[in-house]
Amino acid sequence: MASSDAFTNEERLESAKVALTGGGAAGLIGTLFLLLHRIDAVGLNAALAMAMKGFGAQTFWISSAIAALSGTLFGLTYRYALRQDTNSQLKGGVVLAFGLVRGLALVDVASALYQRLWPFLTAIGESLLLFAVVAALIDWGFSQGWLKRFAG
């Protein structure tokens, strides 16, 4: 167990940087997924209109904010789970855990069963992709020295 000395102001700043990176990336990716779903359903012009006014806009932007919050929490968890470890199974496990929890939470079970499980597969696939991209971005930030792993 890490002592409280491991949580210095420098470590807190690094955690904030990773959290902002994860949240920003997940928010953008989540927004793109939402927009693509709406474009597929109603076309580009209607999708853009729905994202700008009324109840559709509220749900769109709240869903985007939830993706950003998920990415923020993922980034923090990823940083602390990995520490100095480069174990690909640990990295994949964190992505899988977040992807499954977020993906399954998005699915209406009755609808998914009626539609032969495609909503499950789509939601989980998108969530896994979202967190895999965020993990890759954070790893790239680590390799560039812009972000730092937890040293505790």
Side-chain angles (χ1 to χ4, degrees):
M1 180 174 205
S3 71
S4 61
D5 295 336
F7 296 99
T8 64
N9 286 337
E10 182 181 351
E11 284 296 338
R12 289 182 183 97
L13 177 61
E14 290 303 321
S15 291
K17 287 169 40 181
V18 171
L20 287 171
T21 300
L28 287 173
I29 295 165
T31 300
L32 288 174
F33 282 149
L34 288 166
L35 191 56
L36 289 173
H37 281 290
R38 290 182 181 201
I39 289 170
D40 183 49
V42 297
L44 177 61
N45 291 335
L48 292 175
M50 287 172 62
M52 296 303 168
K53 62 182 176 183
F55 185 70
Q58 291 174 351
T59 61
F60 183 86
W61 294 111
I62 289 171
S63 294
S64 293
I66 290 170
L69 178 61
S70 297
T72 299
L73 295 173
F74 171 81
L76 287 171
T77 303
Y78 193 75
R79 179 174 190 257
Y80 287 107
L82 295 183
R83 297 178 185 243
Q84 300 301 322
D85 200 333
T86 58
N87 182 333
S88 63
Q89 289 178 329
L90 181 59
K91 288 180 179 186
V94 176
V95 170
L96 182 63
F98 271 79
L100 285 175
V101 169
R102 183 175 186 275
L104 291 172
L106 294 174
V107 176
D108 172 6
V109 175
S111 173
L113 292 174
Y114 180 75
Q115 296 177 42
R116 302 181 195 264
L117 303 178
W118 280 111
F120 279 120
L121 298 175
T122 302
I124 291 170
E126 286 178 1
S127 292
L128 289 172
L129 181 61
L130 182 144
F131 292 119
V133 170
V134 173
L137 182 63
I138 291 170
D139 283 336
W140 184 68
F142 288 156
S143 72
Q144 298 299 309
W146 298 333
L147 302 174
K148 295 180 184 167
R149 295 176 183 272
F150 181 61

